[in-house]
């Protein structure tokens, strides 16, 4: 039987942090100890920031992004290409594309991918709104920037089928050899995708 080494408030903090991706019980304990040691310059500001996030952050009704303004900063930006909608699975994917600064378009966050075994069908995802947006006259292309997983590819195929009734062009991200990648270290699926997507120089 393990002994209690901290009060219930501290244990609760450890349990909650341990539920975050990439953090287990040991990492959560380290994080909690760091927060407790730096109570004034880290724990209190973090607590305040979390409370503000709870109060102010909302899901954008247009694209599904998370922001403190409605519509979100991306949807409200008039400089973005209105003819292109980039479809991603999660908000983190949107943030990754924005960090890379490779496209200045509008986005659409699905909120996951199709997974019948987990009970996630089209109704659980933000697909109906995408189909409505695709019918807008200014939209010319839908870029499916979904993960290169079985679920991501089946979701892309489903959405592509649903968009055949619209006039938009449906495209997807290229797949294959990453920059700096060595062929010997790549898996068979990546190599096969690279050969299928080959192009003339």
């Amino acid at each position: 039987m393990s002994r209690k080494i901290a009060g219930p408030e501290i244990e609760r903090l450890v349990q909650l942090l341990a539920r975050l991706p990439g953090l287990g019980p040991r990492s959560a304990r380290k994080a909690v100890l760091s927060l407790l040691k730096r109570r004034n310059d880290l724990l209190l500001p973090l607590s305040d920031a979390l409370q503000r996030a709870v109060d102010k952050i909302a899901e954008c009704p247009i694209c599904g992004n998370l922001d403190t303004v409605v519509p979100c900063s991306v949807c409200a930006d008039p400089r973005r290409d209105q003819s292109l909608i980039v479809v991603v699975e999660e908000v983190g994917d949107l943030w990754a594309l924005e960090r890379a600064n490779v496209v200045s378009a509008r986005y659409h966050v699905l909120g996951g991918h199709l997974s019948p075994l987990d009970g996630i069908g089209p109704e659980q995802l933000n697909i109906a709104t995408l189909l409505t947006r695709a019918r807008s006259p200014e939209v010319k292309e839908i870029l499916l920037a979904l993960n290169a997983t079985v679920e991501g590819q089946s979701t892309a195929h489903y959405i592509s089928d649903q968009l055949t009734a619209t006039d938009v062009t449906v495209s997807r991200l290229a797949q294959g050899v990453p920059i700096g990648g060595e062929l010997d270290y790549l898996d068979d699926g990546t190599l096969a995708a690279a050969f299928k997507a080959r192009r003339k120089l």
Side-chain angles (χ1 to χ4, degrees):
M1 184 169 77
S2 63
R3 294 186 221 171
K4 286 201 172 238
I5 55 172
E9 295 82 6
I10 295 174
E11 287 298 325
R12 176 76 174 142
L13 194 52
V14 170
Q15 289 169 4
L16 289 171
L17 285 178
R19 290 163 62 179
L20 291 172
L23 285 181
R26 186 171 291 180
S27 300
R29 271 190 217 95
K30 279 182 158 179
V32 167
L33 282 173
S34 181
L35 287 168
L36 295 175
K37 281 182 187 175
R38 299 176 58 195
R39 180 183 169 102
N40 290 328
D41 66 328
L42 193 57
L43 180 60
L44 292 174
L46 177 62
S47 172
D48 183 51
L50 287 170
Q51 188 56 56
R52 284 174 186 253
V54 168
D55 294 340
K56 298 205 173 215
I57 292 176
E59 186 176 291
C60 177
I62 299 171
C63 73
N65 187 19
L66 296 174
D67 205 337
T68 55
V69 291
V70 176
C72 73
S73 305
V74 175
C75 289
D77 186 351
R79 297 166 298 174
R80 290 184 176 267
D81 182 356
Q82 304 294 305
S83 68
L84 174 62
I85 296 176
V86 181
V87 181
V88 294
E89 289 183 26
E90 301 287 356
V91 173
D93 302 326
L94 185 158
W95 290 358
L97 288 170
E98 283 296 289
R99 271 196 318 271
N101 199 25
V102 293
V103 65
S104 181
R106 295 188 295 167
Y107 290 93
H108 192 86
V109 181
L110 294 175
H113 53 249
L114 294 174
S115 180
L117 292 176
D118 297 319
I120 302 172
E123 302 78 26
Q124 282 73 44
L125 301 178
N126 195 10
I127 294 175
T129 313
L130 173 64
L131 300 178
T132 302
R133 292 179 74 192
R135 291 185 188 95
S136 297
E138 71 268 13
V139 177
K140 306 296 181 210
E141 181 183 358
I142 303 286
L143 169 57
L144 300 176
L146 304 181
N147 294 324
T149 60
V150 173
E151 295 87 359
Q153 298 310 306
S154 63
T155 305
H157 184 70
Y158 176 84
I159 292 172
S160 181
D161 282 351
Q162 296 298 305
L163 289 169
T164 52
T166 66
D167 293 331
V168 298
T169 300
V170 180
S171 59
R172 63 193 299 178
L173 290 180
Q175 298 169 353
V177 180
I179 293 173
E182 296 181 31
L183 297 183
D184 190 34
Y185 293 102
L186 299 177
D187 62 275
D188 297 345
T190 300
L191 284 171
F195 270 93
K196 282 182 188 170
R198 69 186 182 275
R199 57 188 172 84
K200 277 189 176 181
L201 292 176

